[in-house]
Amino acid sequence: MKVSPSHSVNAGVRSVIIPGGTEDSGMTFVGTPPVITYVDPDCAVKGEPEIGLYVHSLVLPQVEIVNIRDASHLVDLMNANIPRRRELILSPSQQYEDQSLNSTHKGALYKHVLPATSDLGLKLTGFPPVVASLDDSSPLKHRLLPEQTVEALLIPGEQRMDLQSGGFTAARVTKMLKDTSDIKGRQLVVKDAVLVPKEKGSNAAFVREDCAIM
């Protein structure tokens, strides 16, 4: 992934690549957002990781996970994808702006790359759109999960579709997916469902962090 920050908040952004099959990145992460606290001098990563750099996103072959807020979540994601090439986007600042999005969401966002096909096997419902179901033959099976909320639809050459753009309904997103089925590089951005426990007397919510990352 080419990193070309054009905003001062993203000054000093760099990336490091962990080759597929590398079990130990040689880096230790702590905190929110994750920060590098140790780098093995003999680590196998490509790039220049440094102690004190913050991790803002993890790029996998078919999905980029941005706004990672917890070091343990980052480590879980990296360990679940050891066979794959993993790229970390780093900077010396706790703040980072993904300029393709206009989101105020405080948790992780998953930017799934969509194949250029009209047969996604994906059913959306509601406003804002929520993943209702996936066909067994869907190319997004094991990547999207039911009840995840669609945060945005990004299509090369088109205006971003999100809550700020207006009319962000399941029907409109579904139609746009169909109308742009021949375009490569589309991204469906989702966030995990927020589930409210049913225990009597509890009003605390928890965020489901079991987003498929295959």
Side-chain angles (χ1 to χ4, degrees), residues 13-180:
V13 171
R14 69 179 74 173
S15 69
V16 298
I17 296 172
I18 306 164
T22 303
E23 294 188 11
D24 185 0
S25 69
M27 294 177 285
T28 301
F29 312 93
V30 301
T32 302
V35 63
I36 299 174
T37 57
Y38 172 77
V39 179
D40 187 330
D42 298 320
C43 69
V45 304
K46 299 178 181 179
E48 299 180 0
E50 295 180 5
I51 293 174
L53 292 179
Y54 292 90
V55 180
H56 300 293
S57 72
L58 170 64
V59 184
L60 300 170
Q62 297 298 326
V63 60
E64 178 180 5
I65 304 139
V66 301
N67 202 31
I68 299 172
R69 304 304 300 169
D70 181 77
S72 62
H73 187 203
L74 170 64
V75 172
D76 287 345
L77 291 167
M78 291 175 62
N79 288 342
N81 288 275
I82 287 173
R84 301 170 180 84
R85 176 187 185 274
R86 292 149 291 167
E87 181 177 4
L88 298 177
I89 306 304
L90 314 170
S91 87
S93 172
Q94 293 189 38
Q95 305 301 318
Y96 177 78
E97 179 181 313
D98 185 322
Q99 296 173 20
S100 68
L101 299 174
N102 183 27
S103 174
T104 59
H105 180 58
K106 302 302 182 183
L109 294 171
Y110 305 82
K111 299 171 65 176
H112 290 277
V113 178
L114 303 177
T117 177
S118 60
D119 189 17
L120 292 175
L122 168 66
K123 181 179 180 181
L124 302 174
T125 186
F127 170 80
V130 172
V131 177
S133 63
L134 292 155
D135 294 344
D136 289 340
S137 60
S138 171
L140 302 175
K141 190 78 170 178
H142 305 303
R143 289 172 56 190
L144 296 177
L145 290 173
E147 300 181 9
Q148 287 182 320
T149 300
V150 179
E151 186 79 0
L153 175 61
L154 309 177
I155 301 171
E158 299 286 345
Q159 181 183 357
R160 177 182 58 232
M161 289 188 70
D162 57 15
L163 283 172
Q164 287 72 35
S165 66
F168 193 54
T169 64
R172 287 196 64 200
V173 172
T174 299
K175 183 177 186 302
M176 181 61 77
L177 288 171
K178 182 177 180 180
D179 292 347
T180 61

